[in-house]
Amino acid sequence: MTAMISARPWVLACLLSLFTVACGPPWTVVAKAVPNPFVNQRSFAVEPVHFEGVRIGDKSEAEYQASKDADQQSSWDEDKRAFAGEFGRELTEELPEVQFVSAPAPSPFVVRPMVTFIEPGFYAYVAARPSEVRMTLEIWGAGPQRLDVLQFRAVVPATMTNPSSGGRLRSAGEMLGAQVAEYLRTRVFP
């Protein structure tokens, strides 16, 4: 009986920590400006999504592209453009109170989204691997001064209803746009 009573606080602590981890934000803060310079900011310049130095699985993008034919290379470039389009669309839709303008534009702050890793995944009826995209987001101020740095991650399951890596990449762009909007909301409207 004593062992059950003394184990109870430990079990409760474990359950609480699992609940807290599961409900945390979908980003990791690397650096954060203090005090918060973004309070009530209504305009941000947004750079195009950067893919420089991106790793595709365990390969550089150049190595990945070298293993593809011309049509696949063209499709890959279109998938990246579509990812960037979905990211931007979702960002503006999820945070309509803030105006996002294309950089360079007169704005005190610049948002720089940089994709650092893509796992295209695959779907082959009997086996599947989800797609994963990792993004580093930097927010720059005047000077230029880097103010906030965050890491985001989107994982999109490979399923019968979403079998193409291009479709999953578009979905990841949507997810990451929503995550970035959520983060900016916490900084603009604390």
Side-chain angles (χ1 to χ4, degrees):
M1 181 74 168
T2 311
M4 290 263 276
I5 292 172
S6 63
R8 205 178 258 171
W10 184 83
V11 170
L12 272 161
C14 286
L15 289 174
L16 184 59
S17 68
L18 285 174
F19 178 74
T20 304
V21 169
C23 294
W27 57 78
T28 302
V29 175
V30 177
K32 194 174 195 177
V34 177
N36 181 356
F38 311 117
V39 175
N40 294 320
Q41 178 62 34
R42 298 302 175 127
S43 178
F44 289 84
V46 181
E47 290 184 355
V49 176
H50 294 266
F51 289 95
E52 299 87 12
V54 66
R55 300 290 297 177
I56 314 300
D58 61 351
K59 300 177 180 179
S60 69
E61 187 174 20
E63 292 169 323
Y64 178 78
Q65 288 284 61
S67 69
K68 306 295 181 187
D69 65 31
D71 287 342
Q72 291 170 320
Q73 290 175 3
S74 177
S75 177
W76 175 251
D77 290 337
E78 177 54 35
D79 291 343
K80 290 191 315 184
R81 278 190 294 279
F83 168 91
E86 290 299 315
F87 172 81
R89 184 190 57 75
E90 194 69 19
L91 176 62
T92 57
E93 284 183 10
E94 290 292 320
L95 196 55
E97 310 88 0
V98 174
Q99 178 185 20
F100 295 99
V101 295
S102 297
S107 178
F109 302 108
V110 176
V111 175
R112 180 175 295 156
M114 301 173 297
V115 173
T116 58
F117 175 82
I118 298 174
E119 169 53 59
F122 64 89
Y123 178 77
Y125 298 106
V126 295
R129 174 184 286 162
S131 294
E132 177 182 350
V133 179
R134 295 182 204 150
M135 174 184 279
T136 297
L137 185 85
E138 297 178 345
I139 306 175
W140 290 76
Q145 178 185 15
R146 193 170 63 177
L147 301 169
D148 283 14
V149 180
L150 300 111
Q151 295 175 338
F152 294 86
R153 178 176 172 252
V155 177
V156 181
T159 64
M160 187 182 303
T161 58
N162 198 3
S164 76
S165 59
R168 292 189 302 275
L169 196 57
R170 288 166 174 78
S171 295
E174 238 180 271
M175 291 170 68
L176 290 168
Q179 290 176 19
V180 169
E182 183 182 346
Y183 173 76
L184 287 173
R185 178 174 273 110
T186 69
R187 297 291 273 161
V188 173
F189 307 111

